[in-house]
Amino acid sequence: MAVVPRWQQRPCRTRDRLCFLAGDFVQLPVPIIQQLYHWDCGLACSRMVLRYLGHLDDSEFEGALQELRLTRSIWTIDLAYLMRHFGVRHRFCTQTLGVDKGYKNQSFYRKHFDTEETRVNELFAQAQACKVLVEKCSVSIQDIQAHLAQGHVAIVLVNSGVLHCELCSSPAKYCCFAPRGHRCFCRTPDYQGHFIVLRGYSRATGSIFYNNPAFADRMCSTSVSNFEEARTSYGTDEDILFVYLDS
């Protein structure tokens, strides 16, 4: 992995941590927290982000889940409301302001679609009044890199069947997208939604660095082209939740 000379680095204070940022190389000290079940990757990502920002208190987090009624079906809009609950500045970018009815027949969404459609659409409808910032827009990789270069982080919805970690896949001993004890679904051809936390990039190697909540002990890395394919796959709505340090 490329190392940036200290004279090219820019210090960045993140609460009690000191990281270094450079225009061509960013690696933020985002803690890794493993998901507990096959369905709570978004909640694990939220815990990582809140801990990075210095906002995480386990009892408060559990209380927030109860207050927001977050159960086994977690959508990106839920994570945006969770950030708002903790007073964290955020910006949720998506291609669909609500539920895409075309997902009803997809195996990933089918089980909860009928019961979740109304709930999720109501969250979108109430977002402005609840001070949850949602925008219908496309985001470029340059936008994402500029965000990370300021020490900020992002939670991204990807198709786990497309995303391939270059650090985990050789040798192919682990499934990057299923916690221990759960079926490995990374090779299925169908869409499988999965949340990850972006924590940096290297322009020299064309890499994106991220935390995969399926793991508790490693940072993952993939090519920009693979990341773009995974985050723009049909089923993701290109959902990305930008989170800011200056909350």
Side-chain angles (χ1 to χ4, degrees):
M1 187 173 294
V3 176
V4 180
R6 188 168 294 277
W7 62 270
Q8 293 180 350
Q9 296 176 337
R10 176 163 57 86
C12 167
R13 178 68 64 179
T14 60
R15 300 292 177 177
D16 58 340
R17 307 177 187 87
L18 184 64
C19 61
F20 288 93
L21 308 177
D24 294 328
F25 183 90
V26 173
Q27 192 173 117
L28 303 173
V30 180
I32 301 171
I33 298 176
Q34 190 175 35
Q35 63 192 86
L36 300 176
Y37 311 99
H38 69 279
W39 54 267
D40 67 334
C41 55
L43 300 184
C45 287
S46 298
R47 286 179 182 270
M48 295 186 215
V49 168
L50 291 171
R51 183 164 292 173
Y52 173 70
L53 298 177
H55 285 269
L56 185 61
D57 176 275
D58 289 335
S59 61
E60 290 182 7
F61 189 83
E62 293 301 325
L65 298 186
Q66 294 182 16
E67 183 174 333
L68 296 174
R69 298 180 182 179
L70 300 185
T71 56
R72 292 194 174 194
S73 182
I74 305 296
W75 296 63
T76 317
I77 187 69
D78 290 313
L79 306 185
Y81 271 80
L82 192 56
M83 292 300 119
R84 176 67 186 94
H85 178 91
F86 284 95
V88 172
R89 189 160 72 93
H90 62 279
R91 177 184 172 221
F92 171 25
C93 297
T94 181
Q95 288 293 299
T96 307
L97 296 176
V99 176
D100 187 334
K101 288 184 178 295
Y103 296 159
K104 184 172 184 177
N105 295 321
Q106 284 215 356
S107 59
F108 181 80
Y109 288 102
R110 189 180 302 131
K111 181 178 180 181
H112 299 287
F113 191 91
D114 290 335
T115 57
E116 287 292 278
E117 183 180 14
T118 299
R119 182 186 75 85
V120 172
N121 284 337
E122 286 179 353
L123 289 177
F124 275 95
Q126 298 167 5
Q128 184 175 2
C130 295
K131 298 183 180 179
V132 174
L133 181 57
V134 182
E135 296 180 23
K136 183 178 180 180
C137 60
S138 292
V139 176
S140 70
I141 189 62
Q142 290 77 21
D143 294 330
I144 294 171
Q145 290 175 332
H147 180 77
L148 295 169
Q150 297 300 312
H152 309 311
V153 292
I155 299 175
V156 184
L157 179 62
V158 298
N159 182 352
S160 66
V162 172
L163 188 68
H164 300 290
C165 175
E166 296 173 343
L167 303 180
C168 300
S169 60
S170 181
K173 187 176 180 180
Y174 303 97
C175 175
C176 293
F177 306 101
R180 290 190 303 273
H182 291 279
R183 181 175 63 88
C184 173
F185 54 77
C186 61
R187 295 183 181 86
T188 177
D190 297 329
Y191 169 77
Q192 291 289 338
H194 189 64
F195 288 105
I196 60 173
V197 178
L198 300 189
R199 59 181 293 176
Y201 62 87
S202 170
R203 287 201 175 97
T205 60
S207 301
I208 293 290
F209 306 137
Y210 62 95
N211 286 356
N212 180 349
F215 286 132
D217 60 352
R218 67 198 68 182
M219 180 188 75
C220 289
S221 175
T222 191
S223 66
V224 167
S225 59
N226 179 246
F227 169 69
E228 288 290 270
E229 183 183 3
R231 80 176 184 91
T232 60
S233 293
Y234 180 72
T236 66
D237 285 327
E238 298 185 30
D239 284 4
I240 180 167
L241 179 60
F242 291 109
V243 180
Y244 298 84
L245 276 172
D246 51 339
S247 298

